[in-house]
Amino acid sequence: DSEIVLVGRSNVGKSTLMREITGHSVDTGQKPGVTRKPNHFDWAGPDFMVTDLPGFGFMNGVPEDVREQIKTDVVRYVEANADKILVGILVLDGKAAVDIIDRHSGPDEIPHDVELFHFLRDVDVEPVVAVNKMDKVDDEEERLNDICDRLGLYPPWQQWQETIAPISAKRGTVDALDEAVRHHLHEAGRDDL
Ligand code: GDP
């Protein structure tokens, strides 16, 4: 268990967050669907690796089958490496996530974000939901409670601070995520990091 993965739809701010927490600029110009090499993480401590997986969901000009393949690849990567992965950071766009989830909820449809959240739990990877772009959200409490509700976590969100981390990657406000991840490292006995 020496790896943290970052997953999320495209455009939620994963690259911005990677840059903020690792101090390294990541290649954002890669072709959709191409898995990036794992980037070394110097945020939680030495010998920890963060893997920034490709964004999935809607992307301008990317056909449906390619988008599906990207999501399948992300799921396969996590499944294949679940033994090594301690925490899975699911990055959401706090401004848009609830609307997107509601638009894609139906009798035959589970929204990607909700599916990924439950999938991480199923493979015993601790999920931490980084609710990004909070600088654009007016009623923060209401939004975070709605996100809890959509993920099947009983509100209020304050009960889930090791799981729900409101952040603004662009502003460099990522303390809540840092604390949530450290909580899981502590639980796993990785305080040395
Ligand atoms: P990625 O596709 O998930 O890697 O997303 P990017 O990191 O490329 O960010 C997508 C867009 O969201 C860019 O225009 C970023 O500047 C913007 N963005 C990222 N984080 C934040 C944030 O915390 N607040 C706001 N307002 N915009 C953000």
Side-chain angles (χ1 to χ4, degrees), residues 8-19 26 28 36 52 55 91 93 132-136 167-172:
R9 301 177 68 94
S10 62
N11 213 43
V12 293
K14 270 173 350 89
S15 313
T16 308
L17 179 60
M18 268 300 272
R19 208 176 307 131
V26 292
T28 53
R36 296 171 199 155
D52 183 18
V91 187
D93 176 338
N132 192 31
K133 308 196 188 184
M134 287 306 286
D135 56 287
K136 294 209 287 185
I167 62 167
S168 171
K170 200 172 176 176
R171 293 209 176 151

Side-chain angles (χ1 to χ4, degrees), residues 118-131:
H118 293 297
F119 164 73
L120 291 171
R121 286 181 149 184
D122 287 346
V123 295
D124 283 326
V125 170
E126 291 289 349
V128 171
V129 183
V131 187

Side-chain angles (χ1 to χ4, degrees), residues 129-132 134 140 144 157 164-168 173-177:
V129 183
V131 187
N132 192 31
M134 287 306 286
E140 298 193 13
L144 295 168
W157 77 274
I164 301 288
I167 62 167
S168 171
T173 329
V174 296
D175 285 0
L177 179 61

Side-chain angles (χ1 to χ4, degrees), residues 135-153:
D135 56 287
K136 294 209 287 185
V137 173
D138 292 329
D139 193 336
E140 298 193 13
E141 301 295 306
E142 188 186 3
R143 183 59 48 88
L144 295 168
N145 286 336
D146 284 349
I147 287 170
C148 277
D149 174 72
R150 301 311 188 270
L151 295 175
L153 306 173

